[in-house]
Amino acid sequence: MRNYDRDQVLFLSSYPPRECGIATYSKDLINAVSSKFSPTFDVKVCALENNYSSLDYPSKVISTLNTRVRGDYLQMAGEINTDESIKMVFIQHEFGLFGGNYGNYLFDFLFALRKPVSVTFHSVLPHPDAELLRAVQTIAKLVDSIVVLTKKSADILSKTYGIDSRKICTIPHGTHLTEWKKKEGIKEEYGLTGKSVLSTFGLLSPNKSIETAIEAIPAIRQKVPDVLYLVLGKTHPGVVQNEGEKYRNYLKQRVADLQLDNHVKFVNKFLDLDDLLNYLRATDLYLFTSKDPYQAVSGTFAYAMSCGCPIISTPIPHALEMLENGGGCLVDFNNPTQLAGTAIDLLMDRDRLATLSHMGFQQSRASAWDNVAVSHARLFANHISDEKTLQYNYPEITLKHIYELTDSKGIIQFSSICEPDINSGYTLDDNARALIALCMYYSYSPKKKNRDLLGTYLRFIKHCQLKNGSFLNYVDKNGNHSEKNYYVNLEDSNGRAIWALGAVVANENSLPENYVKLAEEILLKCLPWTLDVRSPRAIAFVIKGLYNYNQVRQNLEISEIIDRLAKQLTAHYQDVRTRDWNWFETHLTYANAVMPEAMMRAYAETGNPDYRLVAEESIAFLISRITHRGIFRFVSNRGWLHKGKESQIFGEQPIEAAYTIFALEFFWRTTRDDYFQRLAFKAFDWFLGRNQLGQSLYNPVTGGCHDGLEEHEVNLNQGAESTLCYVMARLTMDEMIKSIPEKLDRRPYELSDRIRSKRKTNLEKKILRRYARKEEKFRKPDRKTTDDLNQTGV
């Protein structure tokens, strides 16, 4: 693929190995942006130093600034101005980081800088004196945009400091993705089995008021004898420099005085990320006891919530905002009695504790670092060039969550967050999708584990087949066919089974011979009922499966069935189609793109141009209805989209994105029109955060895909359908990327907005001009075949 010059963004911030909260924050943010957008941005650091020396910085740090030497600010601005590779400067601001009164040495830098610049205010004080007010207002005038971490901070900047709200962007403190797992295993690993674990972490300082929590432990111990309070983290280097370990020694003395040696444990070290997250995941209740009412935000608070820790917190602005909708409880400052009572109530009500844990985990997903990276990347792109230049990194392909969901019977239908819910049973739908995904993946990794999975899914389909060749869909956790099979329409699931079976046969050169033979036997047994299918979507699935089958078998009878099914689908289209509704049904629901794709496959099989006309008209119509302002906005499952009515928003599902990608990929291979290729990239980016919420649906920690894009957050559950659709889409994109010539520009966002117009899309107009038809009857099919088409076995 073509390479691009990356835009360099320079962070002005403290940075590890310096030990402070903003250094850690900057490292995490830079890692997230680099991981998600490395083809677009090259992020470097100018590290802020406070007379530090001999720090061994990583390669990301290309310069340092001694913040106590005023002249160095002008010199640094001059160096940045003359460096053409630096396109933007991003400052992480805390008043204590910069020299002068209220950090006013920074003004010299900003006055001299001639590059776009943005600043993140990590602290926003609500009652500034005159000098502080002027300092913040001066910075605000000299920068192009301001980032704050809470809505409360944005409100204070606007109302108290008089800063134009249009200049302010709220992006939450990032959090690390973690797996949702039961605590018992982690507790055992860390020697905490049988304990009710409370914890606090961070660089120790008097402002954290750890003594408040310690003084609450005696009362908690009376009701919860197995309580253990973990104080995690080193003392803040600034505190050590000024007073040594005076504060830590004071806390240890309080523990001794209260005879709590068996109930309070200090972990006096700077924890690496894995240890920190594991301690938090083992925590039953997190205690945040800061005594600073003006502390705008806390990274430790955010990390705890992301690990599913129910939280008891003092009412700092960050806590007020995050706990507004659940996830924990608020207590007054410096009130150990109230803290003890709240902790006892929660520890003795495990159901409520679990509810709070789930609510906090759900809320924190929006602030995961991969989502925070999307928000920052958009900000950078707006200052440097245009958001449409953003190019996402694609995650590595993994079947980790598929392995978790699969047992000896098949793939389990649902999960509770990322834990398989065996009570949901199994479906033919999901196991057919799983078989397709494994057919695609097996060429990447022909390991025994994957070969065994192929057999598991194929046997499940065989288990669901009836004597007449049709299939049942629902199987309970014991492997028995469910009563639901007898009152739910099963045509779509039957069609999907044929799609899967055809995929196995189409991949006969790479799959075990016995699997191919079994799949072909099952498929041929289906043929008698295929022409009785009435659902347009089911017809489309059957066409896909038979088309795949015929790429290697070239069976005239199969070709005839494809032709007859395409005629049926064409009849549906003719019956419903009007000037402003070029579709097969009077509504758009789920897996919509499979119908235009099936018509294009029927064209590829038969050479009938009428099928291509229907395919191109309908795909153009569909794209016009599922895109909005440059992004895909798929049909909502909250009532679908009915002819003559407006589409509802949110309730978007991964199945829609995946099936759109499958269709676009086949249209691209068939027509070689790069328009379809570009749209496919754009559609896949929906999974990664280019959507209405700016949130990623793919979870790189679990390898799963979240079940939907809701109004305020993603649906945390990672069921079989969503995960399989993501994996199939990711594999499809990988094959597409391999097929793109080096000279082609694969960046999807330089595409002009051809997708939507007030009446008809450009593609619709192009098709209508090409065929010069208007309400003309379709000609009888031409039975010629096309041997020159690039074909795919998906």
Side-chain angles (χ1 to χ4, degrees):
M1 291 182 298
R2 180 175 164 184
N3 293 320
Y4 293 85
D5 294 330
R6 298 185 296 167
D7 295 322
Q8 189 174 113
V9 178
L10 183 68
F11 272 56
L12 197 66
S13 173
S14 57
Y15 202 76
R18 182 172 176 179
E19 294 176 350
C20 77
I22 290 180
T24 302
Y25 172 92
S26 295
K27 178 184 177 183
D28 288 338
L29 175 56
I30 289 169
N31 286 344
V33 172
S34 299
S35 174
K36 195 112 180 175
F37 296 101
S38 63
T40 309
F41 300 115
D42 179 22
V43 184
K44 299 297 185 182
V45 179
C46 172
L48 302 177
E49 294 191 333
N50 184 6
N51 294 322
Y52 281 76
S53 61
S54 67
L55 288 177
D56 185 16
Y57 288 112
S59 59
K60 283 281 184 190
V61 176
I62 59 173
S63 59
T64 59
L65 173 65
N66 189 331
T67 59
R68 299 308 172 207
V69 179
R70 186 164 191 166
D72 287 3
Y73 287 82
L74 279 175
Q75 181 180 340
M76 180 55 63
E79 291 175 5
I80 293 171
N81 288 337
T82 58
D83 188 338
E84 293 184 0
S85 65
I86 298 174
K87 304 300 183 184
M88 177 185 173
V89 176
F90 192 36
I91 301 169
Q92 301 305 304
H93 183 276
E94 187 73 79
F95 289 104
L97 287 177
F98 299 96
N101 291 333
Y102 288 118
N104 64 3
Y105 289 5
L106 181 63
F107 301 171
D108 298 350
F109 174 83
L110 293 172
F111 274 118
L113 191 66
R114 297 293 179 265
K115 302 271 182 157
V117 58
S118 183
V119 62
T120 296
F121 281 125
H122 286 263
S123 291
V124 179
L125 299 179
H127 305 293
D129 59 28
E131 188 175 5
L132 174 58
L133 181 66
R134 283 194 299 272
V136 173
Q137 289 174 336
T138 300
I139 294 172
K141 289 177 182 178
L142 295 173
V143 300
D144 297 291
S145 64
I146 297 168
V147 176
V148 291
L149 283 67
T150 66
K151 295 175 184 176
K152 180 67 174 176
S153 293
D155 190 57
I156 293 171
L157 283 181
S158 177
K159 294 179 179 177
T160 303
Y161 292 83
I163 297 171
D164 188 345
S165 61
R166 291 172 296 182
K167 205 172 192 177
I168 304 168
C169 177
T170 302
I171 304 176
H173 192 297
T175 57
H176 292 281
L177 287 174
T178 60
E179 288 191 67
W180 178 265
K181 285 190 174 180
K182 295 177 180 178
K183 299 181 183 294
E184 286 71 18
I186 304 172
K187 285 185 176 182
E188 182 178 359
E189 182 181 349
Y190 281 79
L192 301 172
T193 302
K195 301 293 185 182
S196 294
V197 179
L198 315 180
S199 73
T200 298
F201 90 92
L203 294 171
L204 224 59
S205 69
N207 270 348
K208 291 188 180 293
S209 193
I210 303 299
E211 63 272 18
T212 300
I214 290 173
E215 289 166 8
I217 299 300
I220 298 173
R221 179 181 58 183
Q222 289 183 4
K223 298 291 185 179
V224 188
D226 62 359
V227 67
L228 177 64
Y229 178 42
L230 302 176
V231 183
L232 307 169
K234 293 174 62 175
T235 306
H236 195 290
V239 174
V240 173
Q241 186 177 4
N242 292 329
E243 60 181 45
E245 290 287 5
K246 178 181 176 181
Y247 182 60
R248 182 178 295 274
N249 292 334
Y250 160 70
L251 295 177
K252 288 183 175 180
Q253 187 59 52
R254 290 299 296 142
V255 170
D257 293 344
L258 295 170
Q259 300 180 353
L260 297 175
D261 290 324
N262 293 327
H263 297 277
V264 179
K265 179 181 178 181
F266 292 89
V267 181
N268 184 12
K269 63 179 180 177
F270 194 84
L271 296 169
D272 65 40
L273 182 61
D274 288 341
D275 272 343
L276 172 59
L277 296 179
N278 280 332
Y279 270 120
L280 291 175
R281 291 162 69 197
T283 295
D284 295 292
L285 197 55
Y286 186 80
L287 307 182
F288 185 83
T289 53
S290 170
K291 60 183 180 183
D292 180 3
Y294 304 131
Q295 183 176 350
V297 70
S298 166
T300 64
F301 181 99
Y303 282 24
M305 183 169 275
S306 74
C307 290
C309 296
I311 297 174
I312 297 178
S313 175
T314 50
I316 67 165
H318 192 191
L320 290 170
E321 198 164 293
M322 292 299 291
L323 298 183
E324 182 179 15
N325 297 315
C329 301
L330 297 171
V331 295
D332 295 335
F333 295 102
N334 303 311
N335 193 331
T337 302
Q338 186 184 18
L339 175 61
T342 304
I344 291 167
D345 289 344
L346 291 176
L347 291 171
M348 297 186 71
D349 187 348
R350 291 288 168 167
D351 289 341
R352 187 182 176 205
L353 206 62
T355 299
L356 292 176
S357 177
H358 188 281
M359 292 172 71
F361 193 80
Q362 171 75 68
Q363 280 186 260
S364 67
R365 182 62 183 91
S367 63
W369 280 116
D370 58 344
N371 293 331
V372 170
V374 171
S375 298
H376 280 89
R378 288 177 173 178
L379 177 71
F380 300 161
N382 286 337
H383 286 309
I384 296 170
S385 52
D386 188 323
E387 186 184 336
K388 291 185 178 181
T389 64
L390 287 179
Q391 185 178 347
Y392 289 73
N393 268 339
Y394 284 1
E396 293 295 321
I397 299 171
T398 176
L399 300 192
K400 178 181 177 182
H401 193 50
I402 293 175
Y403 296 151
E404 288 289 323
L405 284 168
T406 303
D407 63 16
S408 60
K409 297 183 183 69
I411 192 164
I412 296 167
Q413 185 177 11
F414 297 141
S415 69
S416 176
I417 303 184
C418 61
E419 292 186 326
D421 178 9
I422 186 60
N423 291 318
S424 66
Y426 314 81
T427 66
L428 175 66
D429 281 328
D430 289 332
N431 281 271
R433 274 187 282 258
L435 183 58
I436 296 166
L438 264 293
C439 284
M440 299 170 72
Y441 186 70
Y442 192 72
S443 61
Y444 290 78
S445 179
K447 296 178 180 178
K448 181 180 183 301
K449 184 173 186 177
N450 296 325
R451 186 166 63 251
D452 291 344
L453 285 184
L454 280 164
T456 298
Y457 304 139
L458 188 55
R459 286 190 295 272
F460 185 94
I461 293 175
K462 176 67 175 176
H463 174 66
C464 291
Q465 190 168 39
L466 301 174
K467 290 182 179 180
N468 66 357
S470 66
F471 301 92
L472 298 178
N473 187 34
Y474 300 99
V475 174
D476 65 23
K477 65 180 181 181
N478 299 314
N480 300 316
H481 293 139
S482 165
E483 291 294 322
K484 193 174 181 180
N485 288 298
Y486 303 105
Y487 58 84
V488 173
N489 190 307
L490 303 180
E491 279 198 338
D492 286 2
S493 58
N494 275 249
R496 193 174 282 108
I498 292 180
W499 172 19
L501 296 166
V504 175
V505 177
N507 286 277
E508 65 176 358
N509 290 335
S510 61
L511 300 182
E513 183 180 353
N514 58 324
Y515 291 170
V516 175
K517 182 179 179 180
L518 177 58
E520 188 165 10
E521 288 176 359
I522 300 171
L523 188 150
L524 293 177
K525 190 177 178 181
C526 299
L527 294 183
W529 58 260
T530 54
L531 293 174
D532 295 326
V533 175
R534 293 292 175 263
S535 160
R537 195 167 285 94
I539 291 172
F541 286 134
V542 174
I543 289 174
K544 280 195 70 169
L546 296 182
Y547 174 86
N548 289 340
Y549 177 86
N550 238 20
Q551 299 318 292
V552 294
R553 294 294 180 262
Q554 299 179 358
N555 184 305
L556 291 177
E557 181 185 356
I558 297 296
S559 187
E560 174 66 22
I561 293 174
I562 291 172
D563 186 48
R564 291 174 66 181
L565 289 171
K567 286 179 180 176
Q568 291 184 41
L569 207 49
T570 299
H572 280 285
Y573 183 76
Q574 288 178 296
D575 289 344
V576 175
R577 178 180 179 268
T578 59
R579 182 176 179 181
D580 59 354
W581 190 265
N582 296 337
W583 198 243
F584 306 85
E585 301 171 301
T586 58
H587 48 268
L588 295 171
T589 57
Y590 76 100
N592 295 295
V594 71
M595 288 178 275
E597 181 193 354
M599 291 305 298
M600 187 59 91
R601 287 181 184 266
Y603 161 71
E605 178 70 22
T606 68
N608 186 337
D610 292 333
Y611 297 161
R612 176 168 178 162
L613 174 62
V614 173
E616 292 185 319
E617 280 188 347
S618 57
I619 194 68
F621 169 78
L622 177 63
I623 295 300
S624 74
R625 294 303 187 273
I626 61 175
T627 54
H628 181 72
R629 295 183 178 178
I631 64 171
F632 274 88
R633 193 171 78 181
F634 295 106
V635 175
S636 170
N637 62 2
R638 302 176 180 179
W640 310 120
L641 171 58
H642 293 267
K643 184 177 181 179
K645 295 185 179 180
E646 291 296 318
S647 175
Q648 297 187 53
I649 59 174
F650 299 109
E652 300 175 52
Q653 298 174 290
I655 188 175
E656 276 304 292
Y659 283 44
T660 300
I661 290 165
F662 303 157
L664 291 170
E665 188 263 357
F666 189 77
F667 271 75
W668 174 68
R669 290 189 182 276
T670 305
T671 67
R672 286 300 173 183
D673 186 340
D674 292 342
Y675 169 72
F676 296 115
Q677 170 249 318
R678 292 174 183 273
L679 283 177
F681 282 106
K682 202 170 192 178
F684 187 78
D685 287 349
W686 179 88
F687 284 106
L688 305 180
R690 190 168 178 82
N691 52 51
Q692 294 186 78
L693 290 185
Q695 294 185 26
S696 176
L697 282 92
Y698 175 66
N699 188 315
V701 172
T702 65
C705 180
H706 296 292
D707 280 352
L709 193 72
E710 305 302 339
E711 189 167 355
H712 300 294
E713 68 255 322
V714 298
N715 181 330
L716 281 188
N717 295 329
Q718 298 161 47
E721 178 187 289
S722 301
T723 297
L724 290 164
C725 283
Y726 167 81
V727 169
M728 293 159 67
R730 177 67 183 87
L731 289 162
T732 300
M733 296 307 299
D734 202 57
E735 288 301 309
M736 182 181 286
I737 290 168
K738 292 176 182 177
S739 302
I740 297 175
E742 290 288 334
K743 65 179 182 178
L744 284 183
D745 176 354
R746 93 162 206 39
R747 295 179 75 175
Y749 305 127
E750 295 172 2
L751 179 68
S752 61
D753 194 4
R754 296 164 49 184
I755 304 167
R756 190 176 180 85
S757 65
K758 290 183 179 179
R759 296 186 66 83
K760 285 194 178 293
T761 65
N762 289 346
L763 182 60
E764 288 175 307
K765 294 174 184 177
K766 174 181 173 183
I767 293 164
L768 291 174
R769 285 197 302 269
R770 181 192 301 166
Y771 291 96
R773 294 182 182 185
K774 191 172 183 180
E775 305 300 324
E776 177 184 337
K777 291 184 178 180
F778 289 86
R779 297 191 304 271
K780 292 183 179 180
D782 182 350
R783 298 296 175 83
K784 294 178 182 179
T785 60
T786 54
D787 298 326
D788 59 339
L789 295 176
N790 288 284
Q791 298 158 345
T792 177
V794 178

